[in-house]
Amino acid sequence: MAFKKKEIEALKNRWDEDYVAQLNKVLWKKDWRNRADANVNFPNSPFGEISSKRDFRGLDLKCFSYQNLHNIDLSCSTITSITRSVLKDVRLDYTDIKSGISSILIDCSFEYANLHKIGLNNDGEPIQNTSFYKANLNKLVGRDLVFINCNFNSANLKRVDLRYCRFENCTFIGTQFFMSTLIHCTFIGEAPQIEQLDNSSIEKMVINGEPFDISKVNRNETKELIELAKDIISGV
C-alpha cells in the first residue's frame, strides 16, 4: 500500500502521547518470557485492525527486545532498534529503523522502509519470505545472513557491506548496487546481473554452485564518478 506524506503524518499524529510513553516503558523491560506468547504487549489496538492485522501504524517506538510479534501492522512507524525478537507476518512498510535489527524475520514486509546504515542480524535463523521492495538499504551491514524467497526488487543496496551471506530464490529486478561489498556471498536461483555489480567488491562470490568470474564486471570510472556525484547531491 502506497502512502503519501500527509497520510504518514496523520498516522503518527493520531497516537496519544501517554499511551506511547507507557508502551515504550513496557517494551523496555527485557523479559525472555515475552517471546513465548505472541503480542503480549500488543494485545489490541485502539484503532482496531487493518487488512486483518492489528493496526499499530505510525508509532514512535524506542529500542524493544524479547517480543513475539505476529500479524501486526507497524507501517509508517519510527523504531530505534528491534533485537532478540520474533517477527512473523508483520508489516513495516515506510518504517524508519534508526539503529538495527537483530531478530527472526518471517513473512514480513519492509517495502519503502528506511534501513539506511543499520546493522542486520537474523538471530541465527533465515530471513524468509520477506519483501524489501523499494527499501533504502544504503550502507546496510550484515554478516552470515541467510535470505530465502526475499524480494529486493528496486531496492537501494548501494555501499552495503554483506559478507558470507546466502541468498536463496531471491529477486533483484532493478536493485541498485554501487560500490557494494558482497564478498563470499552465495546466490542460489536468481542473482544480480553483471551490470548491477559495477564497481562492487565481489571476491569469492558463488552463483548456483559456480565461482563468479570477477573479470566480467566492467569497472567504469566515469560512471562511478557520475553516480557518486548524484549521491552527494541527493545526500544519500
Side-chain angles (χ1 to χ4, degrees), residues 83-98:
T83 62
R84 297 180 177 88
S85 296
V86 178
L87 278 63
K88 185 173 182 180
D89 201 13
V90 175
R91 298 198 72 86
L92 296 115
D93 300 343
Y94 290 87
T95 294
D96 188 2
I97 310 291
K98 298 294 186 180

Side-chain angles (χ1 to χ4, degrees), residues 8-9 11-12 15 20 23-24 27 56-64 74-82 91-99 113-115:
I8 295 174
E9 289 300 318
L11 289 171
K12 292 179 177 292
W15 290 98
V20 177
L23 180 58
N24 275 310
L27 292 174
F56 286 93
R57 297 173 298 166
L59 279 174
D60 184 1
L61 298 177
K62 309 304 179 186
C63 305
F64 71 82
L74 283 165
S75 298
C76 306
S77 297
T78 300
I79 304 174
T80 302
S81 67
I82 306 171
R91 298 198 72 86
L92 296 115
D93 300 343
Y94 290 87
T95 294
D96 188 2
I97 310 291
K98 298 294 186 180
S99 179
N114 182 22
L115 308 177

Side-chain angles (χ1 to χ4, degrees), residues 178-179 199 220-232:
F178 176 66
M179 297 182 70
N199 300 295
N220 188 317
E221 294 183 2
T222 301
K223 180 179 178 181
E224 178 179 343
L225 290 173
I226 292 173
E227 289 292 333
L228 186 58
K230 286 180 180 178
D231 286 345
I232 292 173

Side-chain angles (χ1 to χ4, degrees), residues 34-169:
N34 289 345
R35 284 181 52 151
D37 298 311
N39 306 326
V40 65
N41 291 313
F42 294 82
N44 293 294
S45 166
F47 303 103
E49 295 187 352
I50 179 76
S51 300
S52 300
K53 287 182 171 56
R54 300 179 189 188
D55 185 3
F56 286 93
R57 297 173 298 166
L59 279 174
D60 184 1
L61 298 177
K62 309 304 179 186
C63 305
F64 71 82
S65 305
Y66 306 99
Q67 301 299 306
N68 182 343
L69 303 187
H70 182 215
N71 217 28
I72 282 178
D73 195 335
L74 283 165
S75 298
C76 306
S77 297
T78 300
I79 304 174
T80 302
S81 67
I82 306 171
T83 62
R84 297 180 177 88
S85 296
V86 178
L87 278 63
K88 185 173 182 180
D89 201 13
V90 175
R91 298 198 72 86
L92 296 115
D93 300 343
Y94 290 87
T95 294
D96 188 2
I97 310 291
K98 298 294 186 180
S99 179
I101 302 173
S102 179
S103 297
I104 297 171
L105 304 174
I106 301 173
D107 300 326
C108 292
S109 178
F110 291 87
E111 297 186 358
Y112 298 91
N114 182 22
L115 308 177
H116 176 58
K117 284 187 176 181
I118 75 162
L120 181 62
N121 187 304
N122 59 350
D123 205 19
E125 297 291 336
I127 297 172
Q128 302 181 56
N129 307 319
T130 292
S131 177
F132 297 94
Y133 175 73
K134 287 196 173 182
N136 180 15
L137 305 171
N138 181 258
K139 295 185 179 180
L140 177 79
V141 177
R143 187 182 178 97
D144 296 314
L145 301 173
V146 177
F147 298 91
I148 300 177
N149 299 327
C150 291
N151 177 4
F152 291 95
N153 294 347
S154 300
N156 177 0
L157 273 78
K158 295 179 180 179
R159 298 183 178 85
V160 298
D161 190 339
L162 298 173
R163 301 171 188 247
Y164 296 91
C165 295
R166 183 180 180 91
F167 300 84
E168 298 184 20
N169 300 317

Side-chain angles (χ1 to χ4, degrees), residues 170-182:
C170 297
T171 56
F172 303 92
I173 300 172
T175 307
Q176 303 172 60
F177 292 92
F178 176 66
M179 297 182 70
S180 296
T181 298
L182 299 168

